[in-house]
Amino acid sequence: LLFIAVILVSLMVGCTRNTEAVTDHIDLVPETANMIGHVELSQIIGDDDIAEIYTALPKEEGDPQTIEEALAKVMDMSNLDLKDFEEAWIFSDISQATEDENYSGAILKGTFEEGSLLASMESAIGEGFAGIDYLGHTIYTGSGQQTGLAVLTSDLLVTGSVPAIKDVIAVSQGNMPAVDGDLLTTYDGLGRALVKVATAM
């Protein structure tokens, strides 16, 4: 998700659309984040103009050449079918990024059935999940326990690094402050857009 957001944000600056008010789940992003964003997944996936713009972008060898390939890469990395989701709130603490680990996550809103979702992901990665109980939620993770996912509500899940998932759960339980200050003010000032990202430098 971070990959596709970075690719598309340069295209989408200023491309806004009027919609009815919706719930912005940026209030579940922990204060640790210094990069936050929102992606209208359902709009991007089905938009022919965005697909054409992406195809025309200069790309290095090995980069996805079409929007379909980019989405397929994201789905392969996350083991999630993004077509099941409408929106994503992405976040990261860039200062914690290292070669071996990072602090980042995505809160996804969509239509899914927890059992079927987990079964399809287990099949895709070829191993069962380990469960970490945390503040009344189960974090499903692989043997390395570096990344995973947790279901927050019937239409929300969070995926990413395990520390980031734990922090989102803590925010949802009122045990940790959400992102605030200048970063959130900048994010809010971007209005409604297919992709928007705010970063504290």
Side-chain angles (χ1 to χ4, degrees):
L1 290 172
L2 297 177
F3 166 80
I4 198 167
V6 170
I7 291 293
L8 291 175
V9 69
S10 60
L11 305 177
M12 295 298 105
V13 172
C15 295
T16 60
R17 61 188 182 89
N18 294 323
T19 61
E20 297 180 3
V22 297
T23 301
D24 192 339
H25 291 293
I26 202 71
D27 60 0
L28 293 175
V29 172
E31 64 175 356
T32 311
N34 55 24
M35 189 285 290
I36 58 177
H38 178 254
V39 183
E40 292 273 7
L41 290 173
S42 60
Q43 297 294 319
I44 288 173
I45 291 173
D47 193 294
D48 292 336
D49 291 333
I50 291 177
E52 290 180 8
I53 293 171
Y54 182 89
T55 300
L57 277 177
K59 292 178 271 304
E60 296 182 4
E61 184 178 353
D63 288 343
Q65 299 301 303
T66 66
I67 195 71
E68 290 82 6
E69 291 179 5
L71 291 169
K73 182 172 183 177
V74 174
M75 285 188 276
D76 182 59
M77 292 168 62
S78 65
N79 295 307
L80 290 172
D81 187 348
L82 297 186
K83 294 178 182 177
D84 292 336
F85 299 94
E86 305 160 14
E87 301 177 79
W89 292 266
I90 58 176
F91 65 94
S92 178
D93 181 352
I94 300 170
S95 66
Q96 294 189 40
T98 67
E99 184 176 343
D100 297 323
E101 59 183 45
N102 64 77
Y103 179 96
S104 62
I107 300 163
L108 300 167
K109 178 182 178 182
T111 303
F112 59 88
E113 195 280 315
E114 184 173 353
S116 298
L117 176 66
L118 294 175
S120 64
M121 291 183 67
E122 285 184 334
S123 175
I125 65 176
E127 65 174 318
F129 286 117
I132 302 172
D133 293 327
Y134 188 74
L135 297 179
H137 291 270
T138 301
I139 301 173
Y140 299 97
T141 181
S143 56
Q145 297 192 355
Q146 292 184 327
T147 61
L149 69 84
V151 174
L152 300 174
T153 67
S154 60
D155 66 346
L156 281 179
L157 65 80
V158 57
T159 184
S161 62
V162 169
I165 294 172
K166 287 183 175 181
D167 285 352
V168 170
I169 293 172
V171 171
S172 72
Q173 299 289 321
N175 295 338
M176 182 177 183
V179 65
D180 204 351
D182 291 343
L183 182 60
L184 183 61
T185 299
T186 301
Y187 170 89
D188 288 337
L190 297 174
R192 294 288 294 171
L194 294 179
V195 177
K196 61 179 182 179
V197 176
T199 305
M201 303 299 290

